[in-house]
Amino acid sequence: MMLMSSSLSGCFGRDEVSQEQEQVIGELIIFNDDGAYTWFQDERAIISDGKIIIGSVASGNNDSNRTGDIEIVTYDLTTGITQLSELHHNLEYDDHDSPALLVRQDGRYLAVYSTHMGTHPLANTIHYRISTNPYDSSSWEPELTFVPSNNSRVTYSNLHFLQDENENNGRIYNFFRGLNNSWNPSIMVSDDMGENWDALGLLIQHPGHRPYVKYASDETDTIHFIFTEGHPNNYNNSIYHAYYQDGMLHSSNGSEIRLLGDGPIQIGEGTLVFQGGQSAVASGNDLAIDSNGHPYLAYSVQIDENPLDHRYRYSRWTGDEWLDYEIAFAGERLYSGEDDFTGNIALDPNNPAVVYISTNVNPVTGTLLPSGHYEIFQGRTNDDGMNWDWVPITENSTEDNIRPIVPDWDGQNTAVIWLQGTYDRYTDFNLKVVGVIISE
């Protein structure tokens, strides 16, 4: 549905919005009536052959037989028909288990997923399935598995394809966590479109800690990534950037760090984007690449150890330096026990001037929203991120709206997808996967 320009005009600078009925700009689409995902697997949603394809984990609140199911939902953009496919029955009730998706060169889809480390009998196993037919996500070949090592404890798959590797036949990278019980970002690769895999080693190493990473690739020869030092409960995180190209790890300005095969990046060898500290603990949320091949990113920061005060920030690499700005109030922690978790911020991968945020406060003033819930806002900048105008996508909601994602599309249309419902922790949620479609 087209969102008319009048609906998206103006700046959200009010301290209050009217106490009216629940509103969504555009037609709210319920993709899946029971589903969740975290933000450290990608791509969680893809648009391919006129369809939106989304991976998620079911809670079973609506149907106990679905508890822990790993699912794919397919929404036909022409007919509006939704189809649900099950990848794995009752794997684990944990939103970390959601699948990463990729379109292979032959048009068939690859889905990769795993349990959330811990003591699960399959904690060392990465699961994957390949669609039976090109551009058809309704039917899948039998599940296959890969064990990086017997003592691995895996989670968080991130799939990226580089065409120029493997003698120009292409190579698929899966960046996951947990090779050899390390808690560190790890690498496995496939040179046959995801049929078979090999473990390469660690990408980043920080002994005793668990760096968190977001990735983006140009699908040709380069993969960018941003990372922190560790879990924000245990470390006053900063944000770093580096990239991989032609077998070599590089800092932002192109300086060589080392060959990928010579060992992982150590904390501090990447380029510092944001200096964290006790009064500003950072968590990476999203990363994309602009038309010049330059990365841009979004992240959140907890202020002064106050779980009720988070801010969203936005950074762009100009080719010479990082421009970094605070852009919005992010509101309160999502739930007690994870004081650094927010509703999240998503970049538009086709437009560096647009972001989507989830917050329970006015993004300009920090005043609590009248609904008392997390709402979705669109932000636009006309000066490379220094200043932003905000408009609500949802208002006066009766449920929380969290974890927006924006899959790559065509530049003229945008699908904004998020989770709606109740989220108490990663093993206790009652959420739907919903969204709107925006046409410029």
Side-chain angles (χ1 to χ4, degrees):
M1 168 174 282
M2 178 175 290
L3 303 189
M4 303 303 291
S5 60
S6 60
S7 298
L8 291 177
S9 63
C11 172
F12 187 94
R14 299 167 289 171
D15 285 342
E16 297 181 356
V17 294
S18 59
Q19 291 280 12
E20 300 175 351
Q21 66 181 6
E22 183 175 2
Q23 297 178 7
V24 177
I25 294 181
E27 179 183 354
L28 185 71
I29 304 167
I30 299 177
F31 296 108
N32 191 334
D33 66 353
D34 181 0
Y37 48 69
T38 60
W39 62 103
F40 285 106
Q41 297 101 327
D42 280 314
E43 299 293 335
R44 289 159 287 168
I46 57 176
I47 297 178
S48 171
D49 193 42
K51 299 181 288 290
I52 301 175
I53 304 167
I54 308 167
S56 58
V57 181
S59 67
N61 284 297
N62 299 328
D63 176 359
S64 60
N65 190 52
R66 289 173 62 189
T67 302
D69 281 2
I70 312 304
E71 297 178 340
I72 296 291
V73 64
T74 304
Y75 177 81
D76 190 300
L77 288 160
T78 301
T79 66
I81 295 174
T82 299
Q83 184 172 27
L84 189 68
S85 303
E86 179 187 286
L87 295 180
H88 191 116
H89 185 56
N90 299 150
L91 179 60
E92 185 181 38
Y93 178 14
D94 189 315
D95 66 8
H96 294 65
D97 296 14
S98 59
L101 305 173
L102 181 139
V103 184
R104 303 191 337 167
Q105 288 174 289
D106 61 359
R108 296 166 71 191
Y109 302 120
L110 170 66
V112 181
Y113 47 96
S114 65
T115 62
H116 182 199
M117 307 177 70
T119 59
H120 194 284
L122 298 172
N124 67 353
T125 303
I126 292 175
H127 308 256
Y128 60 103
R129 294 184 71 172
I130 298 167
S131 67
T132 306
N133 302 305
Y135 307 111
D136 179 3
S137 52
S138 65
S139 175
W140 297 79
E141 295 290 335
E143 183 181 78
L144 300 171
T145 60
F146 174 69
V147 177
S149 65
N150 288 334
N151 67 336
S152 290
R153 296 169 65 243
V154 300
T155 190
Y156 299 143
S157 282
N158 292 266
L159 296 172
H160 292 280
F161 175 73
L162 294 183
Q163 178 62 63
D164 286 359
E165 299 205 346
N166 184 30
E167 298 180 349
N168 293 319
N169 292 315
R171 168 174 283 186
I172 297 175
Y173 284 81
N174 181 31
F175 298 96
F176 66 100
R177 186 174 79 184
L179 178 65
N180 297 331
N181 198 24
S182 67
W183 294 82
N184 284 177
S186 310
I187 312 166
M188 55 190 261
V189 298
S190 173
D191 290 334
D192 58 6
M193 294 192 293
E195 301 281 352
N196 298 280
W197 296 87
D198 293 305
L200 285 192
L202 300 181
L203 176 67
I204 304 166
Q205 186 175 44
H206 193 192
H209 293 280
R210 51 178 108 170
Y212 283 76
V213 192
K214 292 295 291 185
Y215 307 86
S217 71
D218 65 2
E219 300 184 357
T220 302
D221 63 1
T222 304
I223 300 172
H224 291 266
F225 53 101
I226 59 171
F227 55 99
T228 63
E229 292 95 341
H231 193 289
N233 283 350
N234 305 318
Y235 210 102
N236 296 325
N237 285 328
S238 301
I239 298 286
Y240 300 88
H241 167 263
Y243 68 91
Y244 165 78
Q245 185 180 70
D246 297 330
M248 183 70 67
L249 295 166
H250 301 261
S251 58
S252 298
N253 65 7
S255 299
E256 295 181 352
I257 298 174
R258 68 175 56 83
L259 288 168
L260 183 65
D262 287 345
I265 284 181
Q266 305 297 310
I267 296 299
E269 290 185 317
T271 300
L272 181 68
V273 179
F274 174 81
Q275 179 63 64
Q278 189 171 356
S279 62
V281 180
S283 296
N285 283 180
D286 205 0
L287 176 66
I289 304 172
D290 67 19
S291 59
N292 295 314
H294 297 157
Y296 56 105
L297 63 97
Y299 60 102
S300 64
V301 174
Q302 183 188 169
I303 303 298
D304 294 329
E305 299 184 300
N306 181 0
L308 306 184
D309 186 5
H310 298 82
R311 313 290 174 85
Y312 288 126
R313 299 183 67 93
Y314 173 92
S315 302
R316 290 194 68 176
W317 176 251
T318 67
D320 298 307
E321 63 178 341
W322 283 100
L323 302 178
D324 181 73
Y325 304 104
E326 181 180 303
I327 65 171
F329 286 91
E332 303 175 350
R333 65 187 175 191
L334 192 58
Y335 65 93
S336 178
E338 295 289 359
D339 290 352
D340 298 88
F341 288 4
T342 66
N344 279 115
I345 176 172
L347 302 166
D348 185 334
N350 300 118
N351 189 346
V354 177
V355 301
Y356 294 88
I357 67 172
S358 167
T359 179
N360 66 343
V361 299
N362 182 307
V364 177
T365 67
T367 304
L368 283 171
L369 295 174
S371 72
H373 290 286
Y374 289 84
E375 307 280 10
I376 303 296
F377 294 84
Q378 182 198 72
R380 287 182 177 266
T381 180
N382 294 315
D383 53 13
D384 293 327
M386 185 178 298
N387 297 287
W388 293 79
D389 290 336
W390 298 96
V391 294
I393 299 297
T394 65
E395 285 187 280
N396 300 310
S397 296
T398 58
E399 299 177 292
D400 287 332
N401 301 278
I402 62 173
R403 296 182 178 170
I405 54 178
V406 181
D408 187 23
W409 202 347
D410 59 11
Q412 299 301 311
N413 302 283
T414 302
V416 186
I417 300 164
W418 66 90
L419 305 177
Q420 184 181 78
T422 302
Y423 189 91
D424 292 321
R425 61 184 281 111
Y426 59 90
T427 55
D428 186 4
F429 51 84
N430 187 4
L431 296 163
K432 302 181 290 289
V433 183
V434 303
V436 296
I437 295 172
I438 301 172
S439 297
E440 297 294 342

